[in-house]
Amino acid sequence: MPIPEPPPQPPSDPPPGPPTGPAPDAVAVRTTHRASRTVPIALGVIAVGLLGVAGAVSVIVGEQRRPPPAAGYVGVVLMLGLVALGVLALVATYKARRARALFDARGFWWDNGRARALVPWEALSGVAVHWSRLGRGTTLWSLELYPHGPVDRDDPALWPLVRDTDPPEPGLPRVHYQLPFRAGAREPIMAAVRQHAPALWLGEVRRPPGHIGRANRRGRRAGAPRTGRPESGQQPGGPGA
């Protein structure tokens, strides 16, 4: 008597792999000003610089019978610097036109328009919003993410956010992620962090004037800093760790 074959089994689901993108319900926040606001300002700066260059050159050319005044050359240099400032602002606006911060149940996503990376909530010791004054009428804002593990200095998306600064309180690492953002993004960013990672939320912290730093590109080439762990003598972790 033939042995009956067992009934076919349905295929098993493949094991879940690493996340490839934010969840469909992720909170997306634009962190930079729209081009409609920054481009006219940059073009105005360039126009003023070009007019200044033309005026300084006319002064120099008009003094052909005697040595032109040094102020004419100084004016040309200063106005060219103003033109360069406007051009740099245009380039920065173009590069950041698609930059977004996204928040979901997995963590914080940074999408700069060319690369995207995830910082999981479980990899962080704390999250805060820092602010400082720059002059009389300007306030600078940033999202600070403090990891309790290594920082990948070669990540194409996250490396520009890496900073090495004194933490606002003991137990937090020096090496962390800092994302500057426009003032209009403050409320949605804070609401997103409190929604998805309330245990990590450290609140708003006022920092010394001009607290926004720059990526340590020299340290990247030299292979340091890499770790986000606290310095010797500090205890790892922090609120919500």
Side-chain angles (χ1 to χ4, degrees), residues 153 217-224:
R153 61 176 179 267
R217 301 188 183 278
R218 179 180 300 179
R220 183 185 186 187
R221 290 191 298 266

Side-chain angles (χ1 to χ4, degrees), residues 2-179:
I3 300 176
E5 296 182 358
Q9 298 293 327
S12 58
D13 295 332
T20 58
D25 60 347
V27 179
V29 182
R30 183 183 179 90
T31 58
T32 57
H33 293 289
R34 296 188 179 276
S36 59
R37 175 177 177 180
T38 56
V39 169
I41 296 175
L43 292 177
V45 171
I46 293 174
V48 171
L50 292 176
L51 289 175
V53 170
V57 170
S58 65
V59 170
I60 295 174
V61 174
E63 299 290 339
Q64 293 179 350
R65 297 183 179 180
R66 57 181 178 178
Y73 293 108
V74 174
V76 169
V77 173
L78 291 178
M79 293 300 103
L80 286 176
L82 200 60
V83 172
L85 185 64
V87 171
L88 290 176
L90 285 178
V91 172
T93 300
Y94 177 79
K95 289 184 176 181
R97 69 192 185 280
R98 298 178 181 175
R100 297 183 305 163
L102 301 104
F103 306 83
D104 63 12
R106 295 167 178 162
F108 163 80
W109 296 82
W110 173 238
D111 187 341
N112 62 15
R114 301 176 302 277
R116 183 170 59 195
L118 167 67
V119 180
W121 297 126
E122 61 265 23
L124 296 175
S125 299
V127 182
V129 164
H130 289 181
W131 65 277
S132 65
R133 299 291 187 187
L134 182 64
R136 293 184 177 181
T138 303
T139 302
L140 303 179
W141 299 92
S142 66
L143 177 67
E144 312 282 330
L145 301 105
Y146 293 94
H148 53 67
V151 170
D152 185 1
R153 61 176 179 267
D154 296 320
D155 188 285
L158 293 176
W159 172 251
L161 308 184
V162 175
R163 303 291 186 269
D164 185 2
T165 60
D166 292 329
E169 60 183 64
L172 296 176
R174 286 182 54 89
V175 181
H176 65 289
Y177 301 108
Q178 180 187 80
L179 174 64

